[in-house]
Amino acid sequence: MRGVQVFGGWVARGALAGTAAVLLLVGVGIGGAVARDGAVQPVRQVRSVPVSVKAVALTFDDGPSPTYTPAILDLLKEYGAKATFFVIGREIMRYPRIVRQELQAGMEVGNHGMHHVALKGLDPTAIAADVLPVERAITAISGNRPTLYRLPKGVGDARALRTLSDMGYAVVYWSVDAHDYLPRTAGAIASQVLREVRPGSIVIFHDAGGNRQPTVDALKLLLPRLRAEGYQLVTVSQLMELARNAS
Ligand SMILES: [Zn+2]
């Protein structure tokens, strides 16, 4: 049986039937925060989302970039697509205007840390020191605090996950890696994503941190194909909402 893909393995779909909260707030046995009512809150992690409609979430890490992000936004708009940008704090400080453009275009903006340091091995105070300035910067621009966090370098540990959960974040992984941080052609990036994408996939790209022109060019190939195949292109929160509505 194939179900929700979570950090550490698969959870059978049947085991989650009718429990939207669990569906989206999948714990992996590492404990969780204790709410005011005494209930233990599972650490929320999501890698892909079981949806009954053809929808996927494209995500872009490490920006904003003045070189690539505006081009990506133009393409997303052209194809009626929404996406999620996991931004780095130090880049927000340099290019707040681009984060504003992302939000004005209806994109979701998530937290990717202040300095892109892996949270593994850090204590909660150090984690908060890296996460909160980004949260404040995004909130100052959008008026809403971000609810999604992506681990820099994809690396965390139980303490980091619990700390992020305590801070109100869902930790977002991915089920399709475009591998666009490697030297690859646009065609290779696009064909890999098209081969692996499924309804409910979360796809990771990068809009900064290197030459991302192949990523931009891959989107020119991918976006029309995904739309032709009937995919809605939504933010991560919208994808989770689609699953919630279907349950
Ligand atoms: Zn990153």
Side-chain angles (χ1 to χ4, degrees):
M1 184 187 293
R2 194 170 166 94
V4 188
Q5 193 183 12
V6 298
F7 187 66
W10 289 87
V11 175
R13 189 184 295 263
L16 300 175
T19 52
V22 175
L23 185 86
L24 299 172
L25 314 176
V26 181
V28 290
I30 59 171
V34 178
R36 284 198 189 90
D37 62 3
V40 175
Q41 301 295 309
V43 175
R44 299 180 297 164
Q45 299 180 84
V46 57
R47 187 179 291 261
S48 63
V49 180
V51 289
S52 53
V53 294
K54 261 188 133 173
V56 296
L58 307 184
T59 67
F60 298 88
D61 285 15
D62 298 353
S65 153
T67 310
Y68 304 111
T69 311
I72 290 171
L73 286 174
D74 284 346
L75 283 165
L76 293 170
K77 279 189 239 177
E78 184 180 340
Y79 289 97
K82 303 298 183 214
T84 304
F85 290 81
F86 287 98
V87 293
I88 298 176
R90 64 168 186 243
E91 305 304 323
I92 307 176
M93 306 306 171
R94 295 171 73 191
Y95 310 113
R97 172 180 57 84
I98 299 175
V99 177
R100 202 167 293 120
Q101 287 171 7
E102 290 171 347
L103 291 159
Q104 283 168 351
M107 308 299 162
E108 182 163 27
V109 175
N111 193 329
H112 196 38
M114 189 65 193
H115 297 289
H116 205 257
V117 292
L119 300 188
K120 194 173 181 181
L122 298 186
D123 65 34
T125 304
I127 291 169
D130 195 67
V131 172
L132 286 176
V134 187
E135 181 174 308
R136 283 194 282 266
I138 295 171
T139 305
I141 297 170
S142 72
N144 298 302
R145 62 167 292 278
T147 57
L148 306 179
Y149 186 91
R150 178 163 276 157
L151 294 165
K153 309 179 203 313
V155 178
D157 56 20
R159 185 164 57 171
L161 294 173
R162 188 161 52 246
T163 302
L164 290 165
S165 179
D166 290 351
M167 295 173 77
Y169 283 98
V171 177
V172 179
Y173 300 88
W174 54 89
S175 56
V176 178
D177 187 343
H179 290 113
D180 60 343
Y181 47 86
L182 300 173
R184 300 188 88 189
T185 64
I189 293 168
S191 53
Q192 174 166 1
V193 172
L194 286 168
R195 203 166 49 240
E196 296 183 9
V197 76
R198 304 280 182 275
S201 293
I202 296 175
V203 187
I204 181 172
F205 300 92
H206 296 79
D207 62 330
N211 174 18
R212 303 303 179 218
Q213 193 57 45
T215 303
V216 176
D217 292 339
L219 290 170
K220 294 175 188 169
L221 303 170
L222 264 173
L223 292 172
R225 282 287 302 275
L226 290 171
R227 292 311 307 256
E229 290 181 18
Y231 276 103
Q232 293 179 56
L233 303 166
V234 299
T235 67
V236 171
S237 287
Q238 287 169 339
L239 194 66
M240 295 195 294
E241 189 64 28
L242 283 170
R244 224 187 322 262
N245 291 342
S247 62

